[in-house]
């Protein structure tokens, strides 16, 4: 038996808004579905789906995405232009460099090189 990652589901207050942020960042066309759901299928990545929830995100994410980029500063500029906010500066350690970001609903993700 083989288990395969099909999609990553994110709780969202406004799925139709959040899917457009992620589509702009990762590529792919945003799709709005029934019952308020939206999704995007980025090239060479798992589908990201956004399900409507009534509450705002509270507390720290228990899971976040590490997004590989060739230029962290350029990726930050793109993400900010789409509605993200930086959460601190670039950190470099023995694994390389990374920068923590928050999407328009406050979900954390990292750009890594």
């Amino acid at each position: 038996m083989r288990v395969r990652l099909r999609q990553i589901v994110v709780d969202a207050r406004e799925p139709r808004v959040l899917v457009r942020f992620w589509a702009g960042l990762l590529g792919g066309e945003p799709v709005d579905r029934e019952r308020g759901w939206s999704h995007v299928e980025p090239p060479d990545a798992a589908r990201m789906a956004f399900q409507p929830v009534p509450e705002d995100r509270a507390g720290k994410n228990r899971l976040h995405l590490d997004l590989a980029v060739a230029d962290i500063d350029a990726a930050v500029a793109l993400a900010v232009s789409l509605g993200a906010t930086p959460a601190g500066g670039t950190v470099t350690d023995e694994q390389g460099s990374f920068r923590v970001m928050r999407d328009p609903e406050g979900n954390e993700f990292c750009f890594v090189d």
Side-chain angles (χ1 to χ4, degrees):
M1 182 178 99
R2 181 176 159 222
V3 177
R4 184 174 65 88
L5 177 64
R6 179 174 176 190
Q7 69 181 0
I8 298 163
V9 180
V10 179
D11 290 352
R13 295 271 301 172
E14 297 183 53
R16 291 171 187 250
V17 173
L18 202 54
V19 72
R20 282 158 178 76
F21 166 80
W22 285 99
L25 191 62
L26 298 176
E29 292 298 317
V31 176
D32 297 320
R33 300 178 355 208
E34 294 180 23
R35 299 186 181 131
W37 282 68
S38 296
H39 75 264
V40 62
E41 296 189 34
D44 302 318
R47 171 192 287 179
M48 289 187 70
F50 303 88
Q51 70 177 353
V53 296
E55 68 276 354
D56 290 329
R57 185 186 71 79
K60 186 176 181 339
N61 288 18
R62 297 290 305 255
L63 172 78
H64 72 269
L65 303 178
D66 281 351
L67 307 175
V69 296
D71 183 334
I72 290 176
D73 291 335
V76 168
L78 172 61
V80 167
S81 77
L82 295 168
T85 54
T90 300
V91 176
T92 301
D93 62 18
E94 63 280 353
Q95 298 295 315
S97 296
F98 67 93
R99 179 97 181 251
V100 179
M101 302 291 294
R102 291 189 181 101
D103 74 13
E105 290 200 11
N107 301 300
E108 294 171 343
F109 64 96
C110 292
F111 289 126
V112 299
D113 71 359

